[in-house]
Amino acid sequence: MKIALIAPAWHDPLWESEKEKSIFPPLNLITLAALTPPQHEVTILDESLTDLDFDAKYDLVGISAMTALAPRAYEIADAFRKKGTRVVLGGMHPSALPEEAGAHADAVVIGEAEGSWQRLLADLEDGKLQPIYRQHERPSLEHMVHPRRDLLLRDRYLVPDTVQTTRGCPFACSFCTVSQFFGKSFRFRPVEEVIHEVAGLEGEVIAFIDDNIVGHPGYARRLFTELARLPKKIKWFSQGSLNIARDEELLQLAAASGCIGLFIGFESLSPGNLKAVGKAVNRVEEYREAIKKIHDHGIAIEGAFVFGLDEDDESVFERTVKFAQDNRLEAAQFGILTPFPGTPLREALEREGRITSNDWSEYTISKVVFEPKNMSAKTLQEGFNWAWQEFYSLGSISRRLGLAKKHAAILWALNLNIRKRFNHFLERLRSGSFTVPRPSLVK
């Protein structure tokens, strides 16, 4: 069979890529390609880099989508189905709302694809395609296939080499989809298998796309130790929790293995907010010292903060930005609290009647889709806009980064790129071509 695997493009100007370059390749799709029996021909179509040809002939089109990308995924699916092509949908959003996704597809894969994908292909060949595929047990990460990176337009990605070492997260934050999709306990790939994959990569910069690469310190120690022993020295970055700073040995191993940066979820400066969303592992009183320890090991930090939690009022924006600037965070991602399908947060806000939009294209963490508790939706949107503008102003970038920081050139380029994208976001907002959600409550 001829199979096309499609990654829909972002149409939110804050996150969309320019057609010439994208940041990361779709690791999920090239992993699916590797799971596909060799008699089938697989094409990877990343819509952020290429236009789709709906007249192309495929026996099967597979589309993976997060919530904000679901409307575009459905458009693509409907267009191919009109041409008589079979379509399967999977990923975070279809897994949370399989009935909705099923209206646009011949089959829906719920959860992780290992096992389900192979069964689906065999059923399709036999003319027995089922509407729903799901695993009853979470797949083991032993003997994982190596993704089909040969199918990528490698030079079109800023960081073409991405690797996954773990799945799952025990923190189970109420607003996060990760533990709903991958489970509330960690699963690990054997360290030697990760090292074998890393050793075969072309580049020297690697993104480990784990949701928390230091979530299990024992595993992380073994992984970092072996990474440091590689003959080819690499630079890597990933997501991690702030409690890495409580483990001096782990910090040293991370730095020695080539860690240049971590994306860390601070989420809030309010202990009450952290407790309410299930992130009590974060201790606000330790933030400053933890940041200093990580910085002292030459590791940059991109901090993630959420606006709109129930204890947030109008003062949260200035306090948060000042904190991030005073601690010289190399980058920051400010997000608006978003009730994604399948999360405890959504269930709570639905019970309280506070959700104001079910237009999934607005679920980009850059728009207000619910009624905040201690401020208006307008104030939350405007505060979010101000936080990005202020943090990525030229004066702020200069004060935070200077010229002496390790990897200063890379960090300046990153900050200027984010500044450019956010200014484009604001231009679209002001022009009306990209609007904030309507205030009326969804019934």
Side-chain angles (χ1 to χ4, degrees):
M1 295 186 292
K2 291 187 66 175
I3 301 170
L5 300 176
I6 299 175
W10 285 94
H11 292 288
D12 181 321
L14 186 56
W15 310 115
E16 66 187 356
S17 300
E18 298 177 357
K19 279 291 185 187
E20 292 75 23
K21 284 277 188 180
S22 190
I23 300 176
F24 301 121
L27 181 60
N28 54 346
L29 298 188
I30 56 176
T31 301
L32 271 186
L35 292 170
T36 303
Q39 69 266 28
H40 305 305
E41 178 187 338
V42 181
T43 300
I44 301 294
L45 298 174
D46 185 345
E47 196 189 14
S48 66
L49 299 177
T50 185
D51 295 328
L52 302 179
D53 178 5
F54 294 103
D55 291 319
K57 302 299 182 185
Y58 300 107
D59 298 290
L60 180 67
V61 165
I63 308 167
S64 180
M66 295 184 290
T67 294
L69 297 174
R72 179 56 182 161
Y74 295 160
E75 289 176 356
I76 295 169
D78 293 344
F80 275 109
R81 292 181 87 202
K82 282 182 181 177
K83 300 286 186 178
T85 304
R86 296 290 184 92
V87 172
V88 56
L89 285 165
M92 292 278 191
H93 188 82
S95 294
L97 297 175
E99 290 187 7
E100 176 191 283
H104 304 273
D106 299 281
V108 175
V109 175
I110 298 175
E112 297 163 76
E114 287 91 347
S116 295
W117 178 246
Q118 294 94 320
R119 291 199 312 276
L120 182 151
L121 294 178
D123 286 351
L124 182 57
E125 284 191 287
D126 292 340
K128 300 176 181 177
L129 188 66
Q130 303 299 308
I132 296 289
Y133 290 84
R134 73 170 85 213
Q135 290 280 65
H136 296 293
E137 294 184 3
R138 297 195 183 276
S140 167
L141 302 191
E142 290 188 26
H143 312 303
M144 280 181 64
V145 294
H146 286 196
R148 288 283 308 277
R149 296 184 176 90
D150 58 298
L151 298 177
L152 294 173
L153 301 171
R154 182 180 175 82
D155 61 348
R156 302 283 295 279
Y157 295 98
L158 295 175
V159 186
D161 292 320
T162 54
V163 176
Q164 186 175 44
T165 75
T166 64
R167 292 181 188 173
C169 181
F171 292 154
C173 301
S174 66
F175 55 79
C176 184
T177 59
V178 169
S179 56
Q180 309 303 315
F181 189 85
F182 287 120
K184 297 181 180 179
S185 60
F186 281 118
R187 283 167 289 146
F188 312 100
R189 290 179 66 187
V191 168
E192 62 273 16
E193 294 182 16
V194 176
I195 297 301
H196 182 257
E197 181 176 347
V198 169
L201 297 175
E202 292 183 41
E204 296 181 353
V205 178
I206 297 169
F208 289 108
I209 64 156
D210 300 54
D211 294 292
N212 187 357
I213 198 167
V214 295
H216 189 285
Y219 178 83
R221 285 190 194 93
R222 296 194 299 274
L223 176 64
F224 299 164
T225 298
E226 295 305 317
L227 287 173
R229 291 173 177 166
L230 282 169
K232 180 181 76 172
K233 296 305 175 186
I234 62 169
K235 297 183 178 75
W236 64 267
F237 56 93
S238 187
Q239 298 183 82
S241 51
L242 196 64
N243 53 358
I244 186 177
R246 300 173 194 160
D247 191 326
E248 179 65 23
E249 180 192 10
L250 189 57
L251 261 179
Q252 291 175 355
L253 287 171
S257 67
C259 180
I260 60 173
L262 289 172
F263 180 93
I264 295 176
F266 293 88
E267 320 306 356
S268 177
L269 303 182
S270 159
N273 277 337
L274 293 171
K275 182 178 180 180
V277 300
K279 195 80 180 268
V281 66
N282 278 13
R283 301 171 188 167
V284 176
E285 68 275 12
E286 295 180 358
Y287 278 4
R288 291 181 186 276
E289 182 61 25
I291 292 168
K292 183 179 184 303
K293 285 183 178 180
I294 295 169
H295 278 163
D296 285 348
H297 287 80
I299 298 172
I301 298 173
E302 179 174 3
F305 300 91
V306 179
F307 293 142
L309 296 164
D310 278 357
E311 288 197 0
D312 289 347
D313 57 25
E314 295 181 20
S315 69
V316 70
F317 310 108
E318 187 172 354
R319 283 188 289 107
T320 303
V321 170
K322 186 175 187 304
F323 169 86
Q325 290 173 329
D326 288 349
N327 287 278
R328 300 186 68 190
L329 296 188
E330 286 80 359
Q333 176 183 289
F334 304 105
I336 293 172
L337 185 68
T338 303
F340 291 108
T343 61
L345 172 67
R346 184 171 186 85
E347 293 176 6
L349 292 183
E350 282 181 334
R351 286 196 303 270
E352 296 166 13
R354 292 169 60 189
I355 293 176
T356 59
S357 173
N358 285 325
D359 179 350
W360 304 131
S361 66
E362 296 178 334
Y363 279 56
T364 57
I365 72 168
S366 60
K367 291 186 176 182
V368 184
V369 295
F370 76 107
E371 287 290 335
K373 195 167 188 177
N374 288 314
M375 68 182 95
S376 68
K378 182 173 184 289
T379 297
L380 177 53
Q381 185 71 56
E382 290 176 348
F384 165 86
N385 296 348
W386 175 86
W388 281 85
Q389 276 188 296
E390 170 59 26
F391 188 79
Y392 288 103
S393 67
L394 291 177
S396 173
I397 296 172
S398 180
R399 290 192 300 274
R400 290 185 291 105
L401 302 183
L403 295 175
K405 276 212 172 192
K406 197 172 183 180
H407 310 298
I410 296 173
L411 295 171
W412 268 92
L414 169 68
N415 277 256
L416 292 174
N417 178 267
I418 295 173
R419 171 184 164 84
K420 176 183 175 182
R421 284 194 283 114
F422 189 75
N423 285 339
H424 180 47
F425 170 86
L426 286 182
E427 288 171 10
R428 292 274 297 276
L429 274 179
R430 290 164 181 157
S431 70
S433 61
F434 184 72
T435 57
V436 296
R438 55 195 176 280
S440 58
L441 289 175
V442 173
K443 302 300 183 186

